[in-house]
Amino acid sequence: MSGPKVVLVGPMGVGKSTVGALLAERLGAALRDTDEDIVAAQGRTIAEIFVDDGEERFRALEKAAVAAGLAEHDGILALGGGAVLDADTRALLAGHRVVYLSMDVEEAVGRTGLNVARPLLAVNPRKQWRELMEARRHLYTEVATVVVATDGRGPDEVAQAVLDALELKQA
């Protein structure tokens, strides 16, 4: 299979970057994060892109970053929380090992800390997160090869659960 060894999807704050780094280490692979690719290419934060250019422009950048990551990267690829909103992106994910890292709202609130750097959670974070998940959960599930719940688990435990679910051997 060409492309990434594992693609991580899920909501903001679920731990895609943290778990991705652990998976990369355990599999002897590199981690690539599409949000970090966008920030590096644009020279500004995702929040700044949202404010300055709007969500539509950000989603276009995200779509391009995901397509590039899937085509160019052979390690662990972590996608931004909203990447699955795009139908073309979902189609590109077909045939890849995609892991949906899931969590419930209370866990999300604790992890994101109601962080103002997350533009889609700026007002009433609990309500916003629930609405985002209602809109996205079925999309995460649609693209996922496996679903790994993160609730009450530390990053090491989640990384091991991903390896076990995908039956991947550590390097």
Side-chain angles (χ1 to χ4, degrees):
M1 177 191 316
S2 64
K5 291 184 186 332
V6 179
V7 179
L8 298 174
V9 300
M12 61 188 84
V14 76
K16 296 180 297 284
S17 298
T18 303
V19 170
L22 291 169
L23 288 171
E25 180 182 313
R26 292 179 187 184
L27 294 172
L31 170 64
R32 182 166 173 176
D33 183 312
T34 58
D35 280 351
E36 290 178 9
D37 289 351
I38 294 166
V39 169
Q42 296 297 306
R44 54 200 170 129
T45 68
I46 290 170
E48 289 169 332
I49 296 167
F50 263 81
V51 170
D52 296 344
D53 302 339
E55 183 174 1
E56 186 175 330
R57 173 68 179 140
F58 173 76
R59 295 297 174 205
L61 295 169
E62 182 174 56
K63 179 178 179 176
V66 172
L70 289 170
E72 302 164 2
H73 188 64
D74 64 357
I76 309 304
L77 185 66
L79 306 190
V84 297
L85 294 170
D86 183 79
D88 294 334
T89 295
R90 292 193 306 276
L92 285 176
L93 289 170
H96 290 280
R97 280 189 206 100
V98 180
V99 177
Y100 164 28
L101 299 179
S102 68
M103 68 178 167
D104 69 21
V105 69
E106 293 311 315
E107 188 99 359
V109 168
R111 289 188 195 181
T112 60
L114 313 180
N115 190 337
V116 295
R118 300 189 186 271
L120 293 180
L121 295 182
V123 179
N124 194 346
R126 274 188 174 82
K127 179 177 183 275
Q128 293 296 108
W129 195 88
R130 279 193 185 96
E131 288 174 3
L132 283 173
M133 283 309 297
E134 284 170 17
R136 296 176 181 179
R137 185 176 288 112
H138 72 284
L139 300 175
Y140 294 136
T141 303
E142 175 187 318
V143 301
T145 308
V146 297
V147 178
V148 174
T150 65
D151 301 302
R153 290 173 151 173
D156 285 316
E157 193 177 352
V158 173
Q160 190 59 54
V162 169
L163 293 173
D164 293 345
L166 293 176
E167 298 179 353
L168 293 173
K169 302 294 180 234
Q170 297 186 39

